[in-house]
Amino acid sequence: MYLTRFRINIARIGARRLLSSPQMMHAAVLSSFAEAPKPDADGPRILWRVDRDGAAATYLYIVSPARPDLTHLVEQAGWPETGRWETFEYGPFLNRLTKGEQWAFRLTANPVHTARRKNDEPTKITAHVGLRHQIDWLLKRQEHAGFRIVEKAPERRLIPELDRYELLVHNRRNLVFRKGGQKDPVTVVAVTYDGRLEVTDPDALRRTLTHGLGRAKAYGCGLMTLGKA
């Protein structure tokens, strides 16, 4: 497995086009591989995420089974003369994960649930738009995903019902695009989670980091990365 980071030059028209369309970015990411890995329900997949850290920088992160070549992205959305990307062997880090460790994490996800307006209607996938529901969406998946969100000490909780965890939910946005030949546009609600976690099941967490969490993985959701707490 490989973890890649590429800085996007937001001053370029090509970069702005990619950032405005998750479909175009997905295609650009897949084009980074001479032979894109075939979808496999049990195997790791290509995951990607765009991080916009204010006016400082915009980065594309990719986790993939094969090493990518981002030459086309440098030419289209980077700095052709000086632009580079960084690719790291991800396996050694994944193998060192240990139960009880604490890490800072970032996850961009598509928090959804199934709902129906009337009893006689079929269920429909609906986005969570409220902060409390978005937090609950992640909490319900943490055990299966191999981690536990760290709780704050009671004296540090500003709003008891919403400030229990070392967790910040931000950067909510609607990704709107047309899929295939569909007439109506598709809307994917994406939010970013920043927080602190404790490893409870290293094998399950390794799977989360290489398979993604939640839906809309082709459109920049599902990739969790870890950093020093």
Side-chain angles (χ1 to χ4, degrees):
M1 295 296 298
Y2 297 89
L3 172 64
T4 299
R5 184 177 73 165
F6 167 70
R7 185 175 179 182
I8 299 174
N9 182 355
I10 59 174
R12 304 197 66 185
I13 293 177
R16 295 197 292 270
R17 287 175 178 168
L18 289 174
L19 292 172
S20 68
S21 171
Q23 272 197 313
M24 290 180 63
M25 184 66 82
H26 176 60
V29 169
L30 292 184
S31 297
S32 303
F33 305 91
E35 296 182 6
K38 296 180 180 179
D40 184 347
D42 296 323
R45 59 177 297 158
I46 297 172
L47 302 168
W48 62 273
R49 185 184 79 220
V50 172
D51 283 2
R52 297 176 175 87
D53 292 326
T58 298
Y59 286 97
L60 169 67
Y61 288 88
I62 303 172
V63 165
S64 57
R67 181 184 290 272
D69 183 340
L70 305 189
T71 303
H72 63 298
L73 281 173
V74 172
E75 295 171 349
Q76 181 179 0
W79 286 265
E81 296 295 327
T82 60
R84 299 290 185 271
W85 65 90
E86 300 171 287
T87 297
F88 308 93
E89 291 272 2
Y90 207 21
F93 171 78
L94 296 173
N95 292 335
R96 289 196 301 269
L97 291 174
T98 305
K99 184 176 181 179
E101 289 180 334
Q102 290 194 6
W103 294 91
F105 75 89
R106 172 167 287 182
L107 165 70
T108 291
N110 171 226
V112 298
H113 67 294
T114 55
R116 57 164 59 96
R117 293 179 299 176
K118 300 178 181 178
N119 291 333
D120 58 346
E121 288 184 346
T123 58
K124 182 181 179 180
I125 296 174
T126 306
H128 285 304
V129 295
L131 177 60
R132 180 175 298 176
H133 290 119
Q134 291 169 350
I135 292 174
D136 287 343
W137 178 89
L138 183 59
L139 294 177
K140 289 177 181 177
R141 285 156 179 78
Q142 61 180 346
E143 181 178 359
H144 181 71
F147 63 87
R148 177 185 66 84
I149 305 292
V150 176
E151 294 190 24
K152 288 184 177 180
E155 62 272 15
R156 294 183 55 231
R157 300 175 187 176
L158 302 178
I159 306 174
E161 61 272 20
L162 291 177
D163 198 32
R164 178 179 174 184
Y165 298 94
E166 296 279 3
L167 183 65
L168 173 66
V169 184
H170 63 103
N171 197 21
R172 179 187 181 276
R173 63 266 191 207
N174 293 337
L175 310 176
V176 183
F177 56 93
R178 296 187 184 277
K179 187 176 180 180
Q182 293 181 357
K183 180 179 179 181
D184 297 327
V186 176
T187 300
V188 173
V189 175
V191 298
T192 297
Y193 299 87
D194 282 325
R196 185 189 298 247
L197 61 78
E198 179 181 319
V199 181
T200 57
D201 184 336
D203 288 335
L205 182 55
R206 279 188 278 269
R207 180 177 177 84
T208 298
L209 296 174
T210 56
H211 289 67
L213 187 61
R215 301 172 61 91
K217 297 182 182 71
Y219 305 116
C221 297
L223 173 57
M224 173 183 280
T225 51
L226 306 181
K228 292 183 178 180

